[in-house]
């Protein structure tokens, strides 16, 4: 191997140390993650910097941060290490090539995704799907997840985000609550007990802004999951801003009604997200393409203007 080739192939231990420090922003945390001493991590990173002839980190009293060269290198190293982990895992287990480990949002999964899964299973019986429930971003490699359904923006680091659908939200409550708390205008909604989702702290502000209203809202009850918010509304505790497509059954049965008929587009959208190391994994490709088709079919079926 020539000296140049040696420089282009650093040791995996040095790359793993660099990747850990880059992700965690700390030599001590990287040492804990890799079960090494902080000194060992520091030596690995320094040897990598010497080998490449560039500075990868700026070291200061407040910790370390990547240089511009380090940022570029970190993205490529993370993807490369992910590919190596995936390749190793596929060699270690014969069935992994036909398995999809999928993380889904709890309410989206049970109410929208799972009822449609039989269609995918019928088309691809050779693929086994393992379901996990996750809210928010996480480490794909550490969780051993191939793909996730994400609500938010297309900003997941080290991953490819594929748009699925937007979301329309409206204030809803029980019919009994609305009868005892009449609403004539959007401003009237602000005087009611407003229920909040912990994961969407600015949702109510965004809805009132869509009406051209700037209102200082009092603090109200806060919930972790949509299912809990829906039950609180049904029980008559107040008004919640809910994604309409996730409460279709409650609206049809009139367990819930719109407190004020003004649907607004949520600032968040749904995405199928896969780490860069898994974007070309067979089951990921098939499931992602199927998801996009399902989302498009749903959008067409739920938008009356597209049937004219």
């Amino acid at each position: 191997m020539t000296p140049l080739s040696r420089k282009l192939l650093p040791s995996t231990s040095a790359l793993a140390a660099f990747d850990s420090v880059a992700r965690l922003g700390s030599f001590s945390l990287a040492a804990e993650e890799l079960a090494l001493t902080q000194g060992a991590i520091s030596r690995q990173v320094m040897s990598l910097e010497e080998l490449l002839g560039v500075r990868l980190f700026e070291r200061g009293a407040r910790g370390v941060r990547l240089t511009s060269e380090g940022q570029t290198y970190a993205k490529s190293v993370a993807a490369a290490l992910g590919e190596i982990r995936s390749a190793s895992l596929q060699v270690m287990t014969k069935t992994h090539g036909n398995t999809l480990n999928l993380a889904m949002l709890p309410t989206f999964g049970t109410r929208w995704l799972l009822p449609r899964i039989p269609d995918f299973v019928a088309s691809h019986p050779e693929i086994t799907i393992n379901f996990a429930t996750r809210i928010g971003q996480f480490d794909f490699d550490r969780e051993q997840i191939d793909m996730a359904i994400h609500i938010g923006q297309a900003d997941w680091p080290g991953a490819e985000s594929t748009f699925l659908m937007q979301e329309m939200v409206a204030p809803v409550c029980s019919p009994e609550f609305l009868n005892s708390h009449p609403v004539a205008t959007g401003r009237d909604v602000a005087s009611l007990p407003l229920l909040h989702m912990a994961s969407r702290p600015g949702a109510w502000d965004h809805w009132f802004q869509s009406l051209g209203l700037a209102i200082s809202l009092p603090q109200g009850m806060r919930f972790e999951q949509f299912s809990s918010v829906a039950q609180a509304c049904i029980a008559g505790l107040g008004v919640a801003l809910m994604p309409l497509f996730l409460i279709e059954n409650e609206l049809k049965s009139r367990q819930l009604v719109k407190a004020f008929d003004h649907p607004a587009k949520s600032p968040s959208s749904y995405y199928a997200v896969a780490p860069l190391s898994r974007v070309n994994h067979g089951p990921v490709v098939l499931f992602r393409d199927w998801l996009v088709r399902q989302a498009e079919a749903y959008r067409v079926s739920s938008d009356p203007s597209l049937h004219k």
Side-chain angles (χ1 to χ4, degrees):
M1 182 180 291
T2 66
L4 177 59
S5 298
R6 171 69 184 88
K7 283 193 174 185
L8 297 178
L9 287 175
S11 72
T12 54
S13 57
L15 292 175
F18 166 70
D19 174 68
S20 186
V21 176
R23 283 187 291 103
L24 301 175
S26 165
F27 280 87
S28 59
L29 291 177
E32 182 179 339
E33 180 180 66
L34 298 178
L36 295 171
T37 65
Q38 186 172 336
I41 295 292
S42 180
R43 287 191 294 274
Q44 291 283 7
V45 172
M46 288 179 64
S47 69
L48 183 60
E49 289 178 319
E50 291 175 4
L51 182 68
L52 298 174
V54 297
R55 208 173 186 182
L56 299 174
F57 293 102
E58 294 288 350
R59 297 159 174 83
R62 295 186 178 182
V64 296
R65 62 182 180 85
L66 289 163
T67 62
S68 58
E69 293 86 356
Q71 290 176 358
T72 302
Y73 195 52
K75 292 179 182 179
S76 298
V77 168
L81 290 176
E83 288 280 5
I84 293 172
R85 292 188 190 99
S86 297
S88 300
L89 191 57
Q90 289 187 47
V91 170
M92 291 167 64
T93 169
K94 296 179 181 178
T95 61
H96 184 75
N98 289 328
T99 299
L100 176 69
N101 295 323
L102 177 69
M104 63 181 185
L105 300 161
T107 308
F108 179 90
T110 56
R111 298 198 172 202
W112 190 90
L113 180 60
L114 289 179
R116 292 169 168 79
I117 286 294
D119 179 81
F120 180 81
V121 173
S123 300
H124 302 284
E126 76 284 1
I127 296 177
T128 300
I129 305 177
N130 298 322
F131 294 95
T133 300
R134 297 288 187 277
I135 299 175
Q137 297 184 7
F138 56 86
D139 188 317
F140 279 100
D141 286 335
R142 182 175 296 179
E143 300 282 343
Q144 295 188 0
I145 297 292
D146 301 310
M147 174 182 278
I149 308 300
H150 174 60
I151 177 73
Q153 308 299 322
D155 57 0
W156 198 310
E160 179 182 270
S161 299
T162 302
F163 174 80
L164 295 178
M165 65 176 75
Q166 292 177 325
E167 177 182 78
M168 300 300 291
V169 298
V172 299
C173 60
S174 70
E176 295 78 15
F177 182 90
L178 188 59
N179 286 337
S180 59
H181 300 79
V183 172
T185 67
R187 188 175 291 276
D188 292 337
V189 177
S191 64
L192 302 176
L194 302 183
L195 309 181
H196 301 261
M197 275 291 299
S199 60
R200 302 185 184 189
W204 274 114
D205 288 328
H206 178 80
W207 185 80
F208 282 112
Q209 288 169 11
S210 72
L211 287 169
L213 300 174
I215 297 176
S216 178
L217 299 176
Q219 187 172 7
M221 290 186 183
R222 199 169 299 274
F223 298 84
E224 292 290 336
Q225 295 188 5
F226 280 116
S227 57
S228 300
V229 179
Q231 289 305 311
C233 284
I234 292 172
L237 292 178
V239 182
L241 202 58
M242 299 286 286
L244 295 176
F245 83 106
L246 293 179
I247 55 169
E248 288 180 336
N249 292 336
E250 286 83 355
L251 291 173
K252 288 178 181 178
S253 65
R254 287 192 60 78
Q255 287 180 292
L256 293 174
V257 296
K258 293 177 184 176
F260 186 70
D261 195 2
H262 176 73
K265 186 181 296 183
S266 169
S268 299
S269 298
Y270 289 89
Y271 295 88
V273 182
L276 296 178
S277 61
R278 306 298 286 163
V279 292
N280 295 318
H281 178 50
V284 168
V285 173
L286 292 173
F287 193 78
R288 180 176 56 230
D289 291 346
W290 175 83
L291 263 180
V292 170
R293 292 194 301 272
Q294 290 291 319
E296 176 63 17
Y298 175 77
R299 186 181 71 83
V300 171
S301 66
S302 60
D303 189 341
S305 66
L306 298 177
H307 298 280
K308 294 180 181 180

